[in-house]
Amino acid sequence: MYALTLLTLILGLAAGAALMTPSAQEDAADMLGEAAAANFLTFREAAVRAFQAESVTDAAGGTVRPAALSQAQVRAYLPSGYLFMGDWQVLVEGSVLYVHGLDITGSNLRLSAVQAKALAGRSVSLGTRVGSVLKPGDTALPASIPEGSVVAIAR
């Protein structure tokens, strides 16, 4: 049901975009950006839950994080009917989980870290890859995360 509702919203906005004034088009683009940000955060939450579920406690009582997570492991924690609005990826490096992604290629969605962080409503290590670091801030990122990606970090 969620998927159908989301698809109807996107199609309705796209169909009406040609008839809208420039300010209305900007409002529609903002709404799509917010939808993409919420979609990214839903994926991030599922990835964090999978990361925690795959972690184990060692004999000394410490936490051993998984060396990798697959998309299938993350999908197990996504709500039924979830539709990807971007090419969201997971990467585990040095016991740190990186969730990252770009907009769907060829679409006019514009996922912004600012929108995602505003929707998160709490302190989340989230930003955009600029050069080799996460902005805002200067947290170094793995080289395999593409330039311009929105990135969320979990430990």
Side-chain angles (χ1 to χ4, degrees):
M1 191 59 161
Y2 168 78
L4 182 59
T5 303
L6 184 60
L7 182 60
T8 303
L9 171 69
I10 291 171
L11 290 175
L13 289 173
L19 303 173
M20 293 183 201
T21 64
S23 65
Q25 288 176 348
E26 289 173 11
D27 291 343
D30 285 345
M31 287 174 52
L32 286 172
E34 286 180 20
N39 189 266
F40 176 79
L41 290 172
T42 300
F43 183 82
R44 175 203 169 273
E45 188 64 32
V48 168
R49 289 177 56 205
F51 188 62
Q52 291 169 343
E54 295 295 321
S55 299
V56 295
T57 302
D58 64 15
T63 301
V64 178
R65 300 291 187 190
L69 272 182
S70 69
Q71 288 283 8
Q73 288 169 305
V74 175
R75 281 190 181 105
Y77 291 92
L78 288 169
S80 64
Y82 178 86
L83 293 174
F84 285 85
M85 292 181 71
D87 184 22
W88 315 142
Q89 302 293 319
V90 291
L91 171 68
V92 178
E93 189 172 287
S95 297
V96 178
L97 172 66
Y98 300 91
V99 179
H100 61 93
L102 299 165
D103 297 343
I104 299 172
T105 305
S107 79
N108 61 358
L109 289 178
R110 186 68 206 130
L111 171 61
S112 86
V114 172
Q115 287 172 310
K117 193 150 188 142
L119 285 175
R122 59 188 182 282
S123 178
V124 174
S125 186
L126 192 146
T128 304
R129 182 189 177 104
V130 178
S132 61
V133 296
L134 183 69
K135 294 291 184 181
D138 289 318
T139 304
L141 295 173
S144 61
I145 298 176
E147 178 73 18
S149 291
V150 172
V151 181
I153 302 172
R155 299 180 193 278

